[in-house]
Amino acid sequence: MENFKMVAKTFFGFEDILAKELIQLGAQDVEQGVRVVTFKGDKGFMYKANLSLRTALKILKPIYFFRATNEETLYKGIQGVNWSKFINSNQTFVIDATVHSDRFNHTEFVAQKCKDAIVDQFRTRTGQRPSIDKQYPDLRINIHIDKEQVSVALDTSGNSLHQRGYRTATNIAPINEVLAAGILLLSGWDGKSDFIDPMCGSGTILAEAAMIACNIPANINRKEFAFEKWNDWDNDLFDQIVDSCLKKVREFHYTITGYDKAPSAVLKAKDNIKNANLDDYVKISEQNFFDTEKKTKGPLHMVFNPPYGERLDIEMERFYREIGDTFKQNYPGTNAWFITANLEALKFVGLKPSRKIKLFNGSLEARLVKYEIYEGSKRTKFASPVRQEGSDPQIEE
């Protein structure tokens, strides 16, 4: 099978970890952009990328490029593709358009014009035309216009890849699965210690943490990918890819724990973990984080998504102060990470984060922050056991 170019879309700030994921999977010619990473692979790799990538939102397969300055040249350019290679007149399609151009400023107009060009091509050749189906199309077409440059691509994924297939129950402010996976990878989570999400909500971070720890393909529970409706769909090849990925699943020898103080959240989280077939790895209980303490020996990896005050009513200053107090008093030997879009609230934690990473949670600018809580005092942690004359202990700030 021949290699071809593909484009993986992702969130701002995840480009580097997505590129690393692709390289580890075996992609060729990997190049980072803004919210995208391009790469090359064959049809089997396209299947594997959709199945395995944790930080990709969509995988697109570009098929045609041209220049358009007005609606006429856009129409002619779309007709430059032989669409009968991809669908027939009895099938359905839909167009997703993204426009960054002074020439074209309405995505709906662009989508409509491109649809007309495809439909007219079929009607001229066969007297029949494919229909539009926005929910379950046989072919999803992506049109991207940047100034005068038009890129035509086939959407290999269909629904966004954050829709893993295991989450049937959600809370008021659920975290996106791709965002959760990216946060975990940025935090350095590799499954080689105990893990806790002390405000687990519907369990998304717990599920993604367990799949990373066990090297379970991110989208193994997903019911469908767009490429399964394509004319060149190879079911046997896909089954081979699935089997190959599942052979790389590894054992996990630590604990993954989730807390939430809301009984309804705990029930939803347990349901989702069970749906993902991860209940052997994840234990969830109803507890208020501020009343808990570290229960395991050795290092602990903590990642969570606390309320921002956007959709959940909390007393922000007191809440974030309690987070810091609980870190200091109850969780020695812990690397604690959390994401927040309330940047002002961070000053109430009372600890200096060792790392701050700019991300977006939906449209909200956010920070992923890391707090290193040491056993004993920080000065003791970094002091040399035997001080030589003229030397000073190195203390990280």
Side-chain angles (χ1 to χ4, degrees):
M1 289 183 289
E2 291 186 3
N3 284 352
F4 49 86
K5 181 179 177 180
M6 287 173 269
V7 179
K9 299 176 71 174
T10 190
F11 289 126
F12 173 88
F14 286 179
E15 298 90 350
D16 187 53
I17 51 175
L18 175 54
K20 288 176 182 175
E21 279 197 272
L22 280 160
I23 290 168
Q24 288 171 355
L25 275 183
Q28 298 180 10
D29 299 339
V30 177
E31 294 183 12
Q32 296 181 39
V34 178
R35 294 186 174 87
V36 297
V37 178
T38 62
F39 62 98
K40 287 184 179 178
D42 60 15
K43 182 162 68 173
F45 191 83
M46 180 183 75
Y47 294 170
K48 183 163 71 169
N50 275 281
L51 186 70
S52 302
L53 290 174
R54 303 185 193 283
T55 55
L57 292 163
K58 274 186 182 291
I59 310 290
L60 302 177
K61 179 184 178 181
I63 58 170
Y64 196 59
F65 300 89
F66 63 94
R67 179 172 171 266
T69 55
N70 52 43
E71 61 180 271
E72 183 180 352
T73 51
L74 175 64
Y75 179 93
K76 287 181 178 178
I78 296 298
Q79 286 214 322
V81 178
N82 180 6
W83 289 103
S84 62
K85 288 173 58 179
F86 307 108
I87 51 171
N88 61 50
S89 57
N90 297 320
Q91 292 181 298
T92 61
F93 72 100
V94 70
I95 291 175
D96 300 316
T98 307
V99 179
H100 304 284
S101 172
D102 293 334
R103 305 275 188 179
F104 307 94
N105 50 22
H106 293 291
T107 56
E108 289 185 13
F109 170 79
V110 167
Q112 182 66 37
K113 201 67 185 175
C114 293
K115 183 218 70 168
D116 290 345
I118 295 170
V119 166
D120 290 349
Q121 184 185 93
F122 275 96
R123 190 181 284 121
T124 299
R125 291 178 179 178
T126 68
Q128 296 178 309
R129 50 153 290 181
S131 302
I132 297 296
D133 186 337
K134 295 182 178 181
Q135 293 296 318
Y136 306 105
D138 294 308
L139 187 71
R140 187 173 284 273
I141 302 164
N142 184 278
I143 306 293
H144 184 273
I145 302 180
D146 183 15
K147 297 178 182 176
E148 297 177 357
Q149 301 303 313
V150 183
S151 171
V152 182
L154 307 183
D155 184 340
T156 78
S157 307
N159 291 334
S160 170
L161 292 175
H162 83 272
Q163 297 180 26
R164 307 282 204 225
Y166 63 78
R167 195 168 74 179
T168 56
T170 60
N171 294 308
I172 298 172
I175 190 169
N176 177 292
E177 292 89 332
V178 166
L179 180 60
I183 287 170
L184 286 160
L185 293 173
L186 284 174
S187 78
W189 170 242
D190 58 6
K192 295 179 181 177
S193 70
D194 294 319
F195 180 93
I196 184 171
D197 177 351
M199 301 181 188
C200 70
S202 56
T204 305
I205 289 176
L206 295 171
E208 298 296 324
M211 288 194 288
I212 291 171
C214 300
N215 201 35
I216 296 169
N219 290 301
I220 195 66
N221 296 295
R222 189 177 165 105
K223 290 183 173 61
E224 186 179 65
F225 299 96
F227 56 69
E228 294 180 50
K229 291 186 175 181
W230 290 8
N231 295 336
D232 66 349
W233 162 239
D234 190 332
N235 194 84
D236 291 338
L237 176 61
F238 182 72
D239 287 344
Q240 290 175 26
I241 297 295
V242 171
D243 290 342
S244 174
C245 290
L246 290 178
K247 285 177 182 175
K248 296 174 183 174
V249 172
R250 58 181 175 239
E251 290 294 316
F252 177 65
H253 302 290
Y254 298 92
T255 63
I256 297 178
T257 304
Y259 297 147
D260 204 284
K261 68 176 185 178
S264 60
V266 170
L267 289 173
K268 290 172 184 175
K270 286 182 176 179
D271 281 347
N272 291 332
I273 293 299
K274 186 176 181 180
N275 291 337
N277 300 305
L278 297 169
D279 37 354
D280 286 344
Y281 306 105
V282 180
K283 303 304 174 190
I284 303 167
S285 61
E286 181 187 332
Q287 292 193 64
N288 185 336
F289 172 51
F290 304 141
D291 298 328
T292 67
E293 60 184 18
K294 185 183 175 188
K295 295 180 180 178
T296 57
K297 293 181 179 180
L300 178 65
H301 199 96
M302 178 187 294
V303 180
F304 62 110
N305 175 37
Y308 302 164
E310 287 286 324
R311 286 175 284 181
L312 294 172
D313 186 23
I314 58 172
E315 191 180 331
M316 196 58 60
E317 181 176 340
R318 179 183 174 186
F319 183 80
Y320 277 80
R321 185 173 287 117
E322 284 191 278
I323 288 177
D325 289 346
T326 306
F327 284 170
K328 288 180 283 189
Q329 296 165 16
N330 298 351
Y331 281 87
T334 300
N335 282 329
W337 296 76
F338 68 81
I339 184 172
T340 182
N342 193 321
L343 307 186
E344 276 294 304
L346 287 175
K347 64 185 179 184
F348 300 120
V349 175
L351 292 166
K352 185 178 179 181
S354 58
R355 286 195 70 190
K356 277 187 183 180
I357 301 172
K358 180 180 176 181
L359 298 174
F360 285 87
N361 189 350
S363 61
L364 299 174
E365 183 178 327
R367 293 293 182 276
L368 176 63
V369 290
K370 177 186 182 183
Y371 296 93
E372 298 177 57
I373 302 101
Y374 300 103
E375 298 271 5
S377 72
K378 206 172 188 183
R379 183 173 292 273
T380 302
K381 170 79 176 175
F382 288 98
S384 173
V386 179
R387 288 192 62 194
Q388 297 179 356
E389 188 175 348
S391 69
D392 291 316
Q394 293 188 339
I395 303 172
E396 281 194 0
E397 296 297 336

